[in-house]
């Protein structure tokens, strides 16, 4: 017998039952009705001596059992009321025992343990007067103390079962709430990582755009105040202005859609693909064995924004390899050509975490930020288990002609 979460909610209208509730309540009604039918059959069979019970009392017993069985359908709306109403019937009716146990179980699941123990004690106490003047139809020859003992044992079992079901439902609800909260927090962390990545890209572009615009302003000011400038000087200044404006526009295209915040922290020039050999050497000094030929055809034509994105991706890949597979050999590949894509691949052939060194803790949002960076650049990023074992990080970034 299963129940909903043990939460006390005031009912102001009809109880809405789902399919599972209908099946559960139907099974409880069949159980109570079947017990009533069994008691009626025992009263009017040869199992019980004919002179032991007046016929009027037997009819009242069975009729009360029928009414109590029908009242089982009200247990969800008025669990305590139903259970308390069935307490007096235990002093004169054996047919209501099943309905009373169903009501007691419902109280144990939906109400505080103190209420359950109080009603359960009242049910057990009704066995004292009942078996004092009536026979047990199941065991007519059993002694008085035996019947009372069995009534107390059955009541205790129902109370224990109900309290266990209540604790189990509360545990499942707690685990569900914890899982929902953890998922919500993970979404917030991922969104925060994307936001931080956008802000970091904007900060990286701060010094670059400032340099471009300052060149344009300086040479435009020279043309304004140097009225005696020669045609060659004017041509040269105009070329610098045009080139700086085009480069500034190209840089701006790389950060369209980035949410810009006030620049904070260090605004020194950010590393590009030209600093990749120094990054590899630094990783080797930190204990990461990196295999890379150190060559990329056309590296000098890689735009600065693309170089920064590639540098950050390689940096994160080597950092993750050092965190999760310390001492393993990492394969680094950077290939591509202008007019196509720059492909970056960082592969660790050893099993993740199998390097023997303790794993370095992290926030788990670095790859989320990289994916956001690659998407803003018009590319894509994939990471996961490598076909031959280990872990692989791959990125494709557009390389304009």
């Amino acid at each position: 017998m299963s129940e909903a979460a043990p939460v006390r909610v005031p009912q102001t209208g009809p109880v809405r039952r789902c399919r599972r509730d209908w099946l559960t309540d139907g099974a409880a009604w069949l159980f109570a009705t079947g017990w009533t039918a069994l008691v009626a059959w025992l009263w009017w069979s040869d199992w019980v001596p004919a002179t032991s019970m007046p016929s009027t009392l037997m009819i009242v017993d069975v009729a009360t059992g029928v009414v109590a069985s029908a009242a089982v359908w009200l247990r969800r709306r008025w669990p305590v009321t139903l259970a308390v109403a069935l307490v007096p019937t235990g002093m004169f009716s054996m047919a209501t025992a099943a309905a009373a146990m169903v009501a007691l179980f419902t109280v144990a699941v939906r109400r505080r343990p103190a209420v359950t123990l109080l009603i359960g004690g009242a049910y057990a106490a009704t066995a004292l007067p009942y078996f004092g003047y009536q026979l047990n139809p199941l065991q007519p020859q059993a002694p008085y103390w035996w019947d009372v003992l069995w009534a107390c044992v059955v009541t205790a079992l129902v109370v224990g079962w109900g309290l266990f079901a209540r604790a189990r439902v509360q545990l499942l609800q707690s685990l569900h709430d914890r899982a929902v909260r953890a998922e919500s927090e993970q979404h917030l962390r991922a969104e925060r990582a994307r936001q931080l990545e956008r802000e970091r890209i904007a900060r990286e572009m701060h010094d670059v755009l400032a340099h471009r615009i300052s060149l344009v302003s300086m040479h435009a000011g020279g043309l304004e105040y140097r009225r005696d400038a020669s045609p060659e000087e004017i041509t040269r200044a105009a070329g610098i202005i045009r080139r700086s404006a085009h480069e500034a526009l190209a840089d701006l295209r790389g950060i369209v859609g980035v949410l810009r915040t006030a620049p904070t922290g260090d605004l020194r020039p950010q590393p590009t693909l030209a600093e990749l050999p120094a990054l590899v050497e630094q990783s080797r000094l930190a204990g990461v064995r990196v295999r890379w030929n150190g060559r990329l055809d056309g590296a000098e034509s890689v735009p600065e924004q693309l170089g920064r994105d590639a540098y950050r991706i390689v940096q994160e890949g080597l950092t993750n390899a050092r965190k999760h597979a310390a001492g393993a050999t990492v394969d680094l590949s950077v290939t591509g050509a202008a007019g196509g894509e720059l492909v970056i691949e960082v592969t660790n052939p050893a099993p993740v975490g199998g390097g023997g060194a303790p794993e370095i803790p992290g926030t788990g949002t670095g790859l989320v930020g990289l994916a956001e960076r690659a998407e803003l650049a018009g590319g894509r990023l994939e990471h996961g288990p490598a076909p031959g074992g280990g872990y692989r990080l791959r990125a494709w970034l557009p390389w304009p002609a």
Side-chain angles (χ1 to χ4, degrees):
M1 190 181 299
S2 60
E3 291 289 341
V7 179
R8 185 170 184 174
V9 180
Q11 297 286 349
T12 58
V15 177
R16 297 181 180 179
R17 293 182 175 90
C18 62
R19 182 178 181 182
R20 181 180 178 181
D21 294 339
W22 280 107
L23 292 176
T24 302
D25 292 347
W29 175 78
L30 289 176
F31 170 67
T33 304
W35 173 259
T36 302
L38 175 62
V39 171
W41 178 80
L42 290 174
W43 282 140
W44 281 281
S45 67
D46 296 335
W47 181 262
V48 180
T51 58
S52 61
M53 280 283 292
S55 59
T56 303
L57 192 57
M58 290 189 295
I59 293 174
V60 171
D61 186 355
V62 174
T64 306
V66 172
V67 174
S69 299
V72 165
W73 291 98
L74 305 177
R75 69 190 186 96
R76 293 185 183 274
R77 187 171 185 179
W78 298 296
V80 176
T81 303
L82 176 62
V84 172
L86 292 179
V87 170
T89 64
M91 294 186 290
F92 64 88
S93 175
M94 174 62 71
T96 61
M101 293 300 101
V102 172
L104 180 60
F105 176 84
T106 306
V107 172
V109 172
R110 293 174 171 265
R111 295 297 182 264
R112 293 181 291 109
V115 177
T116 303
L117 295 176
L118 182 62
I119 297 178
Y123 277 139
T126 59
L128 298 174
Y130 177 84
F131 292 114
Y133 69 93
Q134 290 189 201
L135 292 177
N136 183 356
L138 298 178
Q139 296 177 313
Q141 307 301 326
Y144 171 77
W145 65 269
W146 180 260
D147 292 334
V148 173
L149 176 62
W150 267 108
C152 294
V153 169
V154 171
T155 303
L157 290 176
V158 173
V159 171
W161 183 19
L163 293 178
F164 170 76
R166 173 188 175 89
R168 181 177 179 273
V169 171
Q170 287 180 333
L171 176 61
L172 294 177
Q173 184 67 34
S174 174
L175 294 176
H176 177 266
D177 294 342
R178 189 180 303 175
V180 171
R181 186 166 55 252
E183 183 179 0
S184 177
E185 291 175 355
Q186 179 61 26
H187 285 320
L188 290 177
R189 285 196 297 269
E191 185 62 30
R192 179 59 178 168
R194 296 188 184 98
Q195 181 65 23
L196 290 176
E197 191 64 26
R198 292 188 180 103
E199 295 176 6
R200 181 162 50 170
I201 294 174
R203 287 195 297 269
E204 290 175 1
M205 295 304 299
H206 177 271
D207 59 304
V208 177
L209 290 177
H211 176 68
R212 309 290 190 207
I213 300 302
S214 63
L215 286 178
V216 173
S217 176
M218 182 183 64
H219 287 85
L223 291 177
E224 181 181 2
Y225 290 101
R226 287 286 309 276
R227 300 181 182 275
D228 58 342
S230 64
E232 292 79 8
E233 292 176 337
I234 295 176
T235 302
R236 184 168 61 253
I240 295 176
I241 293 175
R242 178 184 58 81
R243 184 167 60 252
S244 299
H246 287 179
E247 291 173 351
L249 289 175
D251 291 334
L252 283 175
R253 277 195 295 267
I255 58 171
V256 170
V258 177
L259 182 59
R260 184 66 169 93
T261 59
T264 58
D266 191 5
L267 295 178
R268 292 173 297 177
Q270 300 297 319
T272 60
L273 205 59
E275 283 76 26
L276 196 56
L279 174 63
V280 172
E281 186 62 27
Q282 183 182 4
S283 300
R284 288 170 178 167
L285 293 176
V288 182
R289 294 191 295 237
V290 184
R291 289 189 301 201
W292 179 50
N293 57 14
R295 294 191 302 272
L296 174 63
D297 295 337
E300 64 280 355
S301 64
V302 174
E304 292 184 10
Q305 180 64 39
L306 175 60
R308 280 190 293 272
D309 292 338
Y311 181 92
R312 294 303 184 191
I313 292 174
V314 174
Q315 184 183 43
E316 183 67 22
L318 296 179
T319 302
N320 286 340
R322 179 171 172 265
K323 284 182 179 180
H324 306 296
T329 301
V330 180
D331 291 322
L332 172 62
S333 173
V334 182
T335 59
E341 289 182 326
L342 181 65
V343 182
I344 304 168
E345 182 173 337
V346 182
T347 306
N348 171 29
V352 176
E359 183 175 312
I360 301 174
T363 61
T365 57
L367 294 177
V368 176
L370 287 185
E372 181 72 11
R373 176 185 286 265
E375 183 179 352
L376 290 174
R380 66 188 189 279
L381 183 139
E382 296 178 357
H383 57 88
Y391 203 81
R392 181 173 65 183
L393 170 68
R394 301 183 69 185
W396 295 263
L397 302 176
W399 186 345

